[in-house]
Amino acid sequence: MKDLDWSNIGFGYIRTDYNVRCCYRDGKWGEIEVSSSEHINLHMAATCLHYGQEAFEGLKAFRGKDGKVRIFRLEANAERLQSTCDGILMPQISVEMFREMVTKVVNLNKDYIPPYESGASLYIRPLIIGTSAQVGVHPASEYMFIIFVTPVGPYFKGGFSTNPYVIIREYDRSAPLGTGKYKVGGNYAASLRANKLAHDKGYSCEFYLDAREKKYIDECGAANFIGIKDNTYVTPLSTSILPSITNNSLQQIAKDMGMKVEVRPVPEEELLTFEEAGACGTAAVISPIERIDDLETGKSYVFAKDGKPGPVLTELYNRLRAIQYGDAADDYGWVTIVE
Ligand SMILES: *Cc1c(COP(=O)(O)O)cnc(C)c1O
């Protein structure tokens, strides 16, 4: 194992030894290649640079107490990438090819998988880009699929904690029939201004309402929303939300905890009724929300009066982390063990 300060590595980029790549040409994917270069050689007229033909995924590998390495929900990420590729007319990557490349890149960089005790993990970033040269607006004929990994620190260094959010109405992240449900870079470019506005106002993240009516909850920055009340797990249904795999996993865990799960449109006023609220995604699992301010109406929805995460989100968080690190049984086949 590399000699890194595992508990303090944060959420940046740390170079590892290898990445894996595969190119699509003449209507098919080629051989999987291993590279030790962090750079790619790209034509200046590549479609990814001009017309945003780019998609990505994000998943993690964890080192357990038993020393084994577990990749969380590899198949679900492969399937979501297929849906995204289909959404912006890029060739799909089979689940088998995705699995082969992910396990290969994790194995090649084993020395960078943080030790169990650190609470850190190995972030896996697959990305696909249109690489062929053209200036006409149509899908590329050639693509490159790359997977690199980088160790990331424990998200909550000082322990699981809450953050303030602000409703932003000035900008939309995605349109109701747009690309919000796909994991494409363009959605992130579209969110940068809203995110900056939230930060400038002293909030940790922006909170989006639906683009059409500004009435229903969409997403919390680049994370899904979860509201808890009356032993019920509530999460919004919307055509412009990215289907979070963390959210999907937490819904199953909530059911295992004897909770009801509701996936439906959630009007802003309903925020008043939640006992706990959180944002969920691979990076943090759950980031509990302290409060959501609506600066236009002057309303402030407070979920954590003492600033502390509530008991239900804490239990959901602990149970999911336990599965990821191999401390609890993997009842649903979510974990791929790397040999
Ligand atoms: C990746 C992402 C999420 C979280 O999805 P996970 O699969 O849980 O990591 C939520 N919203 C957006 C916009 C995302 O890009």
Side-chain angles (χ1 to χ4, degrees), residues 25-258:
R25 247 179 240 119
D26 303 323
K28 59 181 189 306
W29 289 104
E31 296 292 313
I32 296 167
E33 293 161 34
V34 174
S35 173
S36 53
S37 168
E38 292 169 286
H39 298 271
I40 52 177
N41 195 357
L42 200 57
H43 195 290
M44 62 188 174
T47 61
C48 63
L49 298 177
H50 303 260
Y51 305 130
Q53 251 199 326
E54 187 276 347
F56 66 99
E57 268 304 329
L59 61 164
K60 283 179 171 176
F62 304 84
R63 195 184 290 280
K65 215 183 272 177
D66 55 8
K68 285 186 186 159
V69 174
R70 292 170 173 80
I71 302 170
F72 189 66
R73 303 219 61 180
L74 184 155
E75 288 85 5
N77 281 273
E79 284 162 10
R80 186 171 66 188
L81 183 60
Q82 291 185 332
S83 156
T84 296
C85 286
D86 207 42
I88 62 166
L89 298 183
M90 302 197 290
Q92 288 192 344
I93 288 142
S94 69
V95 175
E96 292 66 40
M97 175 174 151
F98 188 90
R99 182 184 294 116
E100 187 182 341
M101 288 178 68
V102 168
T103 50
K104 187 168 204 146
V105 73
V106 168
N107 265 320
L108 286 167
N109 294 292
K110 266 207 161 128
D111 288 350
Y112 292 92
I113 307 173
Y116 173 79
E117 303 73 36
S118 66
S121 56
L122 187 74
Y123 186 74
I124 304 165
R125 167 54 57 86
L127 67 145
I128 168 170
I129 52 175
T131 51
S132 49
Q134 62 197 44
V135 286
V137 183
H138 48 91
S141 56
E142 296 179 2
Y143 295 84
M144 188 188 281
F145 179 52
I146 307 175
I147 309 180
F148 69 82
V149 296
T150 190
V152 290
Y155 200 85
F156 297 105
K157 260 177 72 185
F160 195 47
S161 60
T162 66
N163 285 305
Y165 284 66
V166 62
I167 292 176
I168 297 287
R169 294 167 197 274
E170 291 90 333
Y171 307 103
D172 296 319
R173 187 188 79 92
S174 72
L177 300 177
T179 53
K181 60 180 188 286
Y182 305 125
K183 211 165 174 77
V184 296
N187 294 337
Y188 280 73
S191 74
L192 292 176
R193 274 219 164 267
N195 186 261
K196 179 176 186 316
L197 193 58
H199 283 153
D200 288 350
K201 290 177 191 289
Y203 294 90
S204 62
C205 204
E206 77 278 19
F207 195 89
Y208 295 104
L209 300 177
D210 74 285
R212 188 188 284 126
E213 295 184 82
K214 297 283 175 204
K215 255 181 85 176
Y216 298 95
I217 296 169
D218 238 41
E219 285 208 75
C220 326
N224 281 186
F225 175 81
I226 313 166
I228 304 290
K229 62 175 175 188
D230 309 327
N231 199 35
T232 307
Y233 179 114
V234 182
T235 191
L237 179 70
S238 154
T239 55
S240 46
I241 290 179
L242 194 280
S244 155
I245 293 163
T246 309
N247 191 353
N248 172 279
S249 313
L250 291 169
Q251 287 173 35
Q252 183 58 54
I253 293 171
K255 286 178 195 158
D256 294 348
M257 285 163 55

